[in-house]
Amino acid sequence: MRAFDVLFRHDDELIFVVMDTENGGKVAVEANHQLVVFAHDVRELQHRIRTQVQEHFQGHSTATIRLREFKDTVIDMKSPQG
């Protein structure tokens, strides 16, 4: 099994990878069904994801929705340690 499959696939789950946007919002991506959702905060994101999944599956999805958040930390190698 490839790392990509472990990260994004599961038969009874929809896994959305959540990232912060440059303007302070959130974006969630579900790769298997090509769903992308934007929102200002996590609460709005959850609501929009639920709505998007209902619409995509025409109200027939019983899958669990998992949000997997990632945060980037940048280490500047040009500045001295301090």
Side-chain angles (χ1 to χ4, degrees):
M1 182 173 283
R2 300 174 322 189
F4 183 84
D5 293 331
V6 171
L7 185 61
F8 291 105
R9 298 193 71 172
H10 198 280
D11 292 338
D12 57 353
E13 286 186 329
L14 297 172
I15 300 174
F16 283 82
V17 176
V18 179
M19 296 164 280
D20 293 329
T21 64
E22 289 182 12
N23 65 356
K26 300 278 186 185
V27 60
V29 178
E30 200 288 328
N32 291 322
H33 297 280
Q34 300 175 348
L35 302 174
V36 179
V37 181
F38 294 91
H40 296 309
D41 57 40
V42 174
R43 185 174 180 181
E44 180 185 11
L45 187 68
Q46 291 174 352
H47 173 73
R48 288 186 177 201
I49 287 172
R50 184 182 296 269
T51 301
Q52 181 83 354
V53 168
Q54 294 270 359
E55 290 173 2
H56 182 77
F57 292 101
Q58 300 173 346
H60 297 291
S61 176
T62 59
T64 299
I65 298 171
R66 181 180 306 273
L67 303 183
R68 193 162 281 164
E69 289 198 56
F70 290 90
K71 179 181 177 182
D72 288 336
T73 301
V74 177
I75 300 172
D76 185 358
M77 295 299 289
K78 295 176 185 174
S79 67
Q81 292 182 8

Coordinates of all heavy atoms in Angstrom, one line a residue:
M1 N 0.9 -1.2 0.0 CA 0.0 0.0 0.0 C 0.9 1.2 0.0 O 1.8 1.3 0.8 CB -0.9 0.0 1.2 CG -1.9 1.2 1.3 SD -3.1 1.0 2.6 CE -4.2 -0.2 1.9
R2 N 0.6 2.2 -0.8 CA 1.3 3.4 -1.0 C 1.0 4.4 0.2 O -0.1 4.4 0.7 CB 1.1 4.1 -2.3 CG 1.5 3.2 -3.5 CD 1.1 3.9 -4.8 NE -0.2 4.5 -4.6 CZ -0.9 5.0 -5.6 NH1 -0.4 4.9 -6.8 NH2 -2.0 5.7 -5.4
A3 N 1.9 5.3 0.5 CA 1.7 6.3 1.5 C 0.5 7.2 1.2 O -0.3 7.5 2.0 CB 2.9 7.2 1.7
F4 N 0.3 7.5 -0.1 CA -0.8 8.3 -0.6 C -2.1 7.6 -0.2 O -3.1 8.2 0.2 CB -0.7 8.6 -2.1 CG -1.8 9.4 -2.6 CD1 -1.7 10.8 -2.5 CD2 -2.9 8.9 -3.1 CE1 -2.7 11.7 -3.0 CE2 -3.9 9.7 -3.6 CZ -3.8 11.1 -3.6
D5 N -2.2 6.3 -0.4 CA -3.4 5.5 -0.1 C -3.8 5.6 1.3 O -4.9 5.7 1.7 CB -3.3 4.1 -0.6 CG -3.2 4.0 -2.1 OD1 -3.8 4.9 -2.8 OD2 -2.6 3.1 -2.6
V6 N -2.7 5.5 2.2 CA -3.0 5.5 3.6 C -3.5 6.9 4.0 O -4.3 7.0 4.9 CB -1.7 5.1 4.4 CG1 -1.8 5.4 5.9 CG2 -1.2 3.7 4.1
L7 N -2.9 7.9 3.5 CA -3.3 9.3 3.8 C -4.7 9.6 3.4 O -5.4 10.3 4.1 CB -2.3 10.2 3.2 CG -2.4 11.7 3.6 CD1 -2.2 11.9 5.1 CD2 -1.4 12.5 2.8
F8 N -5.1 9.2 2.2 CA -6.4 9.7 1.6 C -7.5 8.7 1.4 O -8.6 9.0 1.1 CB -6.0 10.3 0.2 CG -5.3 11.6 0.3 CD1 -3.9 11.6 0.0 CD2 -5.9 12.7 0.7 CE1 -3.2 12.7 0.1 CE2 -5.1 13.9 0.8 CZ -3.8 13.9 0.5
R9 N -7.2 7.4 1.6 CA -8.3 6.4 1.2 C -8.7 5.5 2.4 O -7.9 5.1 3.1 CB -7.7 5.5 0.1 CG -7.4 6.2 -1.2 CD -7.2 5.3 -2.3 NE -8.5 4.8 -2.6 CZ -8.7 4.0 -3.7 NH1 -7.7 3.7 -4.4 NH2 -9.9 3.6 -4.0
H10 N -10.0 5.3 2.4 CA -10.6 4.4 3.3 C -12.0 4.2 2.8 O -12.7 5.1 2.5 CB -10.6 4.9 4.8 CG -10.8 3.8 5.8 ND1 -12.0 3.3 6.0 CD2 -9.9 3.1 6.5 CE1 -11.9 2.4 7.0 NE2 -10.7 2.2 7.2
D11 N -12.5 2.9 2.8 CA -13.8 2.6 2.2 C -15.0 3.3 2.8 O -15.9 3.7 2.1 CB -14.0 1.1 2.2 CG -13.1 0.4 1.2 OD1 -12.5 1.1 0.3 OD2 -12.8 -0.8 1.4
D12 N -15.0 3.4 4.1 CA -16.2 4.0 4.8 C -16.0 5.4 5.4 O -16.7 5.8 6.2 CB -16.7 3.0 5.9 CG -15.6 2.7 6.9 OD1 -14.5 3.1 6.8 OD2 -16.0 2.1 7.9
E13 N -14.9 6.0 4.9 CA -14.6 7.4 5.4 C -14.3 8.3 4.2 O -13.8 7.8 3.2 CB -13.3 7.4 6.3 CG -13.5 6.8 7.6 CD -12.3 7.0 8.5 OE1 -11.2 7.0 7.9 OE2 -12.4 7.1 9.7
L14 N -14.6 9.5 4.4 CA -14.1 10.6 3.5 C -13.1 11.4 4.3 O -13.4 11.9 5.4 CB -15.3 11.5 3.0 CG -16.4 10.8 2.2 CD1 -17.5 11.8 2.0 CD2 -15.8 10.4 0.9
I15 N -11.9 11.4 3.8 CA -10.8 12.1 4.5 C -10.5 13.4 3.8 O -10.0 13.4 2.7 CB -9.6 11.2 4.7 CG1 -10.0 9.9 5.4 CG2 -8.5 11.9 5.4 CD1 -8.9 8.9 5.5
F16 N -10.8 14.5 4.5 CA -10.4 15.8 4.0 C -9.1 16.3 4.7 O -9.0 16.2 5.9 CB -11.5 16.8 4.4 CG -12.8 16.7 3.5 CD1 -13.7 15.8 3.8 CD2 -12.9 17.6 2.4 CE1 -14.9 15.7 3.0 CE2 -14.1 17.5 1.7 CZ -15.1 16.6 1.9
V17 N -8.2 16.7 3.9 CA -6.9 17.3 4.4 C -7.2 18.8 4.5 O -7.6 19.4 3.5 CB -5.8 17.0 3.4 CG1 -4.5 17.7 3.9 CG2 -5.5 15.5 3.3
V18 N -7.0 19.3 5.7 CA -7.3 20.7 5.9 C -6.0 21.5 6.1 O -5.1 21.1 6.8 CB -8.1 20.8 7.2 CG1 -8.4 22.3 7.5 CG2 -9.4 20.0 7.1
M19 N -6.0 22.6 5.4 CA -4.8 23.5 5.5 C -5.3 25.0 5.7 O -6.4 25.3 5.3 CB -4.0 23.4 4.2 CG -3.4 22.0 4.0 SD -2.9 21.8 2.2 CE -4.5 21.4 1.5
D20 N -4.4 25.8 6.3 CA -4.7 27.2 6.4 C -4.4 27.9 5.1 O -3.5 27.5 4.3 CB -3.8 27.8 7.5 CG -4.1 27.3 8.9 OD1 -5.3 27.0 9.1 OD2 -3.2 27.3 9.7
T21 N -5.2 28.9 4.7 CA -5.0 29.7 3.5 C -4.2 30.9 3.9 O -4.0 31.2 5.1 CB -6.3 30.1 2.9 OG1 -7.0 31.0 3.8 CG2 -7.1 28.9 2.5
E22 N -3.6 31.6 2.9 CA -2.8 32.7 3.2 C -3.6 33.9 3.8 O -3.0 34.7 4.5 CB -2.1 33.2 1.9 CG -1.0 32.3 1.4 CD -0.3 32.8 0.2 OE1 -0.5 33.9 -0.2 OE2 0.4 32.0 -0.4
N23 N -4.9 33.9 3.5 CA -5.7 35.0 4.0 C -6.3 34.7 5.4 O -7.2 35.4 5.9 CB -6.8 35.4 3.0 CG -7.8 34.3 2.8 OD1 -7.7 33.2 3.3 ND2 -8.8 34.6 2.0
G24 N -5.9 33.6 6.0 CA -6.4 33.3 7.4 C -7.5 32.3 7.4 O -8.0 32.0 8.5
G25 N -8.0 31.9 6.3 CA -9.1 30.9 6.2 C -8.7 29.5 6.2 O -7.5 29.2 6.6
K26 N -9.5 28.6 5.8 CA -9.2 27.2 5.7 C -9.6 26.6 4.4 O -10.6 27.1 3.8 CB -10.0 26.4 6.8 CG -9.8 26.8 8.2 CD -8.5 26.1 8.7 CE -8.3 26.4 10.2 NZ -7.1 25.9 10.7
V27 N -8.9 25.6 3.9 CA -9.3 24.9 2.7 C -9.2 23.4 3.1 O -8.3 23.0 3.8 CB -8.5 25.2 1.5 CG1 -7.0 24.9 1.7 CG2 -9.0 24.5 0.2
A28 N -10.2 22.6 2.6 CA -10.3 21.2 2.9 C -10.4 20.5 1.5 O -11.2 20.9 0.7 CB -11.4 20.8 3.8
V29 N -9.6 19.4 1.3 CA -9.5 18.7 0.1 C -9.7 17.2 0.3 O -9.1 16.6 1.1 CB -8.2 18.9 -0.7 CG1 -8.1 18.1 -2.0 CG2 -7.9 20.4 -0.9
E30 N -10.7 16.7 -0.4 CA -11.0 15.2 -0.4 C -10.6 14.7 -1.8 O -11.2 15.0 -2.7 CB -12.4 14.9 0.0 CG -12.7 13.5 0.5 CD -12.5 12.4 -0.6 OE1 -12.8 12.7 -1.8 OE2 -12.1 11.3 -0.3
A31 N -9.5 13.9 -1.9 CA -8.9 13.6 -3.2 C -9.7 12.6 -4.0 O -9.7 12.7 -5.2 CB -7.5 13.1 -3.0
N32 N -10.3 11.6 -3.3 CA -10.9 10.5 -4.1 C -12.1 11.0 -4.9 O -12.4 10.5 -6.0 CB -11.3 9.4 -3.2 CG -10.1 8.6 -2.6 OD1 -9.1 8.5 -3.3 ND2 -10.2 8.3 -1.3
H33 N -12.8 11.9 -4.3 CA -14.1 12.4 -5.0 C -13.9 13.9 -5.5 O -14.8 14.5 -5.9 CB -15.3 12.4 -4.1 CG -15.6 10.9 -3.7 ND1 -16.3 10.1 -4.5 CD2 -15.2 10.2 -2.6 CE1 -16.4 8.9 -4.0 NE2 -15.7 8.9 -2.8
Q34 N -12.7 14.4 -5.4 CA -12.3 15.7 -5.9 C -13.2 16.8 -5.3 O -13.7 17.7 -6.0 CB -12.3 15.7 -7.4 CG -11.4 14.7 -8.0 CD -11.4 14.7 -9.5 OE1 -12.3 15.2 -10.2 NE2 -10.5 14.0 -10.1
L35 N -13.4 16.8 -4.0 CA -14.1 17.8 -3.3 C -13.2 18.8 -2.7 O -12.2 18.4 -2.0 CB -15.0 17.1 -2.2 CG -16.0 16.1 -2.7 CD1 -16.6 15.4 -1.5 CD2 -17.0 16.7 -3.6
V36 N -13.5 20.1 -2.9 CA -12.7 21.1 -2.3 C -13.6 22.1 -1.7 O -14.6 22.6 -2.3 CB -11.8 21.9 -3.4 CG1 -11.0 23.0 -2.8 CG2 -10.9 20.9 -4.1
V37 N -13.3 22.5 -0.4 CA -14.2 23.4 0.4 C -13.4 24.5 1.0 O -12.4 24.2 1.6 CB -15.0 22.6 1.5 CG1 -15.9 23.5 2.2 CG2 -15.8 21.4 0.8
F38 N -13.8 25.7 0.9 CA -13.2 26.9 1.5 C -14.1 27.4 2.6 O -15.3 27.4 2.4 CB -12.9 28.0 0.5 CG -11.9 27.6 -0.6 CD1 -12.3 27.0 -1.8 CD2 -10.6 27.8 -0.4 CE1 -11.4 26.6 -2.7 CE2 -9.7 27.5 -1.4 CZ -10.1 26.9 -2.5
A39 N -13.5 28.0 3.7 CA -14.3 28.6 4.7 C -13.4 29.5 5.5 O -12.2 29.5 5.4 CB -14.9 27.6 5.7
H40 N -14.0 30.4 6.3 CA -13.3 31.3 7.2 C -12.7 30.7 8.4 O -11.7 31.1 9.0 CB -14.2 32.5 7.5 CG -14.6 33.3 6.4 ND1 -13.7 33.8 5.4 CD2 -15.8 33.8 6.0 CE1 -14.3 34.5 4.5 NE2 -15.6 34.5 4.8
D41 N -13.4 29.7 9.0 CA -13.0 29.1 10.2 C -13.4 27.6 10.2 O -14.1 27.1 9.3 CB -13.5 29.8 11.4 CG -15.1 29.9 11.4 OD1 -15.8 29.0 11.1 OD2 -15.6 31.0 11.8
V42 N -13.0 26.9 11.3 CA -13.3 25.4 11.3 C -14.8 25.1 11.4 O -15.3 24.2 10.8 CB -12.6 24.8 12.5 CG1 -12.9 23.3 12.7 CG2 -11.0 24.9 12.3
R43 N -15.5 25.9 12.2 CA -17.0 25.6 12.3 C -17.7 25.8 11.0 O -18.5 24.9 10.6 CB -17.6 26.6 13.3 CG -19.0 26.4 13.6 CD -19.5 27.2 14.7 NE -20.9 27.0 15.0 CZ -21.6 27.6 15.9 NH1 -21.0 28.5 16.6 NH2 -22.8 27.3 16.0
E44 N -17.4 26.9 10.2 CA -18.0 27.1 8.9 C -17.5 26.0 8.0 O -18.3 25.5 7.1 CB -17.6 28.4 8.4 CG -18.1 28.7 7.0 CD -17.7 30.0 6.4 OE1 -16.7 30.7 7.0 OE2 -18.2 30.4 5.4
L45 N -16.2 25.6 8.1 CA -15.7 24.5 7.2 C -16.5 23.2 7.4 O -16.8 22.5 6.5 CB -14.2 24.3 7.5 CG -13.5 23.4 6.6 CD1 -13.4 24.0 5.2 CD2 -12.1 23.1 7.1
Q46 N -16.7 22.8 8.7 CA -17.5 21.6 8.9 C -18.9 21.7 8.3 O -19.3 20.7 7.7 CB -17.5 21.4 10.4 CG -16.2 21.0 11.1 CD -16.3 20.9 12.6 OE1 -17.3 21.2 13.2 NE2 -15.2 20.4 13.2
H47 N -19.5 22.8 8.5 CA -20.9 23.0 7.9 C -20.8 22.8 6.3 O -21.6 22.1 5.7 CB -21.4 24.3 8.3 CG -22.7 24.6 7.6 ND1 -23.9 24.0 7.9 CD2 -23.0 25.5 6.6 CE1 -24.9 24.4 7.1 NE2 -24.3 25.4 6.3
R48 N -19.8 23.5 5.7 CA -19.7 23.5 4.3 C -19.3 22.1 3.8 O -19.8 21.7 2.7 CB -18.7 24.5 3.8 CG -19.3 25.9 3.9 CD -18.4 26.9 3.3 NE -18.9 28.3 3.4 CZ -18.6 29.3 2.6 NH1 -17.7 29.1 1.7 NH2 -19.2 30.4 2.8
I49 N -18.5 21.4 4.5 CA -18.1 20.0 4.1 C -19.3 19.1 4.1 O -19.6 18.4 3.2 CB -17.0 19.5 5.0 CG1 -15.7 20.1 4.7 CG2 -16.9 17.9 4.8 CD1 -14.5 19.8 5.6
R50 N -20.1 19.2 5.2 CA -21.3 18.4 5.3 C -22.2 18.7 4.1 O -22.8 17.7 3.5 CB -22.0 18.6 6.6 CG -23.2 17.8 6.9 CD -23.9 18.1 8.2 NE -23.0 17.9 9.3 CZ -22.9 16.7 10.0 NH1 -23.7 15.7 9.6 NH2 -22.1 16.6 11.0
T51 N -22.4 19.9 3.8 CA -23.3 20.3 2.7 C -22.8 19.8 1.4 O -23.5 19.3 0.6 CB -23.5 21.9 2.7 OG1 -24.0 22.3 3.9 CG2 -24.4 22.3 1.5
Q52 N -21.5 20.0 1.2 CA -20.8 19.5 -0.1 C -21.0 18.0 -0.3 O -21.3 17.5 -1.3 CB -19.4 19.9 -0.1 CG -18.6 19.6 -1.3 CD -18.8 20.5 -2.5 OE1 -19.6 21.5 -2.4 NE2 -18.1 20.3 -3.5
V53 N -20.8 17.2 0.8 CA -20.9 15.8 0.7 C -22.3 15.4 0.4 O -22.6 14.5 -0.4 CB -20.4 15.1 2.0 CG1 -20.7 13.7 2.1 CG2 -18.8 15.3 2.2
Q54 N -23.3 16.0 1.1 CA -24.7 15.7 0.9 C -25.0 16.0 -0.6 O -25.7 15.1 -1.2 CB -25.6 16.6 1.7 CG -25.5 16.3 3.2 CD -26.5 15.3 3.7 OE1 -27.2 14.8 2.9 NE2 -26.4 15.0 5.0
E55 N -24.6 17.1 -1.2 CA -24.9 17.4 -2.6 C -24.2 16.5 -3.5 O -24.7 16.0 -4.5 CB -24.4 18.9 -2.9 CG -25.3 19.9 -2.2 CD -24.8 21.3 -2.4 OE1 -23.7 21.5 -3.1 OE2 -25.4 22.2 -1.8
H56 N -22.9 16.2 -3.2 CA -22.1 15.3 -4.1 C -22.7 13.9 -4.2 O -22.8 13.3 -5.3 CB -20.7 15.2 -3.6 CG -19.8 14.4 -4.5 ND1 -19.3 14.8 -5.7 CD2 -19.3 13.1 -4.4 CE1 -18.5 13.9 -6.3 NE2 -18.5 12.8 -5.5
F57 N -23.2 13.4 -3.1 CA -23.7 12.0 -3.1 C -25.2 12.0 -3.1 O -25.9 11.0 -2.8 CB -23.2 11.2 -1.8 CG -21.7 10.9 -1.9 CD1 -20.8 11.7 -1.2 CD2 -21.2 9.9 -2.7 CE1 -19.5 11.4 -1.2 CE2 -19.9 9.6 -2.7 CZ -19.0 10.4 -2.0
Q58 N -25.8 13.1 -3.4 CA -27.3 13.3 -3.5 C -28.0 12.8 -2.2 O -29.0 12.1 -2.3 CB -27.8 12.6 -4.8 CG -27.2 13.3 -6.0 CD -27.5 12.5 -7.3 OE1 -28.0 11.4 -7.3 NE2 -27.2 13.2 -8.4
G59 N -27.4 13.0 -1.1 CA -28.0 12.6 0.2 C -27.9 11.2 0.6 O -28.5 10.7 1.5
H60 N -27.1 10.4 -0.2 CA -27.0 9.0 0.1 C -25.7 8.5 0.7 O -25.4 7.3 0.8 CB -27.1 8.2 -1.2 CG -28.5 8.4 -1.9 ND1 -29.6 7.9 -1.3 CD2 -28.8 9.1 -3.0 CE1 -30.6 8.2 -2.1 NE2 -30.2 9.0 -3.1
S61 N -24.9 9.4 1.3 CA -23.6 9.1 1.9 C -23.8 8.8 3.4 O -24.5 9.6 4.1 CB -22.6 10.2 1.7 OG -21.4 9.8 2.4
T62 N -23.3 7.7 3.9 CA -23.3 7.4 5.3 C -21.9 7.3 5.8 O -21.7 6.8 6.9 CB -24.1 6.0 5.6 OG1 -23.4 5.0 4.8 CG2 -25.5 6.1 5.1
A63 N -20.9 7.7 5.0 CA -19.5 7.6 5.4 C -19.2 8.6 6.5 O -19.8 9.6 6.7 CB -18.6 8.0 4.2
T64 N -18.2 8.2 7.3 CA -17.7 9.1 8.3 C -16.8 10.1 7.6 O -16.1 9.8 6.7 CB -16.9 8.3 9.3 OG1 -17.7 7.3 10.0 CG2 -16.2 9.2 10.4
I65 N -16.9 11.4 8.1 CA -16.0 12.4 7.5 C -14.9 12.7 8.5 O -15.2 13.0 9.7 CB -16.8 13.7 7.2 CG1 -17.9 13.4 6.2 CG2 -15.9 14.8 6.7 CD1 -18.9 14.5 6.0
R66 N -13.7 12.5 8.1 CA -12.5 12.8 8.9 C -11.8 14.0 8.4 O -11.5 14.1 7.2 CB -11.6 11.6 8.9 CG -10.4 11.8 9.8 CD -9.5 10.5 9.8 NE -10.2 9.3 10.1 CZ -10.4 8.9 11.4 NH1 -9.9 9.6 12.4 NH2 -11.0 7.8 11.6
L67 N -11.5 14.9 9.3 CA -10.7 16.1 8.9 C -9.3 15.9 9.4 O -9.1 15.7 10.6 CB -11.3 17.4 9.5 CG -12.7 17.7 9.2 CD1 -13.1 19.1 9.8 CD2 -12.9 17.7 7.7
R68 N -8.3 16.0 8.6 CA -6.9 15.7 8.9 C -6.2 17.1 8.7 O -6.0 17.5 7.6 CB -6.3 14.6 8.1 CG -5.0 14.1 8.5 CD -4.7 12.8 8.0 NE -5.4 11.8 8.7 CZ -5.6 10.5 8.3 NH1 -5.1 10.2 7.1 NH2 -6.3 9.6 9.0
E69 N -5.8 17.7 9.8 CA -5.2 19.1 9.7 C -3.6 19.0 9.6 O -3.1 18.2 10.4 CB -5.6 20.0 10.8 CG -7.1 20.4 10.7 CD -7.4 21.6 11.5 OE1 -6.8 22.6 11.3 OE2 -8.3 21.4 12.3
F70 N -3.1 19.8 8.8 CA -1.6 19.9 8.7 C -1.2 21.4 8.9 O -1.9 22.3 8.5 CB -1.1 19.4 7.3 CG -1.2 18.0 7.1 CD1 -2.4 17.4 6.6 CD2 -0.2 17.1 7.5 CE1 -2.5 16.1 6.4 CE2 -0.3 15.8 7.4 CZ -1.5 15.2 6.8
K71 N -0.1 21.6 9.6 CA 0.4 22.9 9.8 C 1.9 22.9 9.4 O 2.6 22.1 9.8 CB 0.3 23.3 11.3 CG 0.8 24.7 11.6 CD 0.7 25.0 13.0 CE 1.3 26.3 13.3 NZ 1.3 26.7 14.7
D72 N 2.2 23.9 8.6 CA 3.6 24.1 8.1 C 4.3 25.0 9.1 O 3.8 26.0 9.6 CB 3.6 24.8 6.8 CG 3.2 23.9 5.6 OD1 3.3 22.6 5.8 OD2 2.8 24.4 4.6
T73 N 5.5 24.6 9.5 CA 6.4 25.4 10.2 C 7.6 25.7 9.4 O 8.2 24.7 8.9 CB 6.8 24.7 11.5 OG1 5.6 24.4 12.3 CG2 7.8 25.6 12.4
V74 N 8.0 26.9 9.2 CA 9.1 27.3 8.4 C 10.3 27.6 9.3 O 10.2 28.4 10.2 CB 8.8 28.5 7.5 CG1 10.0 28.9 6.6 CG2 7.6 28.1 6.6
I75 N 11.4 27.0 9.0 CA 12.7 27.3 9.7 C 13.6 28.0 8.8 O 14.0 27.5 7.7 CB 13.4 26.0 10.2 CG1 12.4 25.2 11.1 CG2 14.7 26.3 10.8 CD1 12.9 23.8 11.5
D76 N 13.9 29.2 9.1 CA 14.7 30.1 8.2 C 16.2 29.8 8.5 O 16.7 30.1 9.6 CB 14.5 31.6 8.5 CG 15.2 32.5 7.6 OD1 16.0 32.0 6.8 OD2 15.0 33.7 7.7
M77 N 16.8 29.2 7.5 CA 18.2 28.7 7.7 C 19.2 29.9 7.4 O 20.4 29.8 7.7 CB 18.5 27.6 6.7 CG 17.8 26.3 7.0 SD 18.1 25.7 8.6 CE 19.8 25.1 8.4
K78 N 18.7 31.0 6.9 CA 19.5 32.2 6.7 C 19.8 33.0 7.9 O 20.8 33.7 8.0 CB 18.9 33.1 5.6 CG 18.8 32.4 4.2 CD 18.1 33.2 3.2 CE 18.0 32.4 1.9 NZ 17.2 33.2 1.0
S79 N 18.9 33.0 8.9 CA 19.1 33.8 10.1 C 19.9 33.0 11.1 O 19.7 31.8 11.2 CB 17.8 34.3 10.6 OG 17.0 33.2 11.1
P80 N 20.6 33.7 12.0 CA 21.4 32.9 13.0 C 20.5 32.4 14.1 O 19.4 32.9 14.3 CB 22.3 34.0 13.6 CG 21.7 35.3 13.2 CD 20.9 35.1 12.0
Q81 N 20.9 31.3 14.7 CA 20.1 30.7 15.8 C 20.2 31.7 17.0 O 21.1 32.3 17.2 CB 20.7 29.4 16.2 CG 20.6 28.3 15.2 CD 21.2 27.0 15.7 OE1 21.5 26.8 16.8 NE2 21.2 26.0 14.8
G82 N 19.1 31.7 17.7 CA 19.2 32.6 18.8 C 18.1 32.5 19.7 O 17.8 32.9 20.6

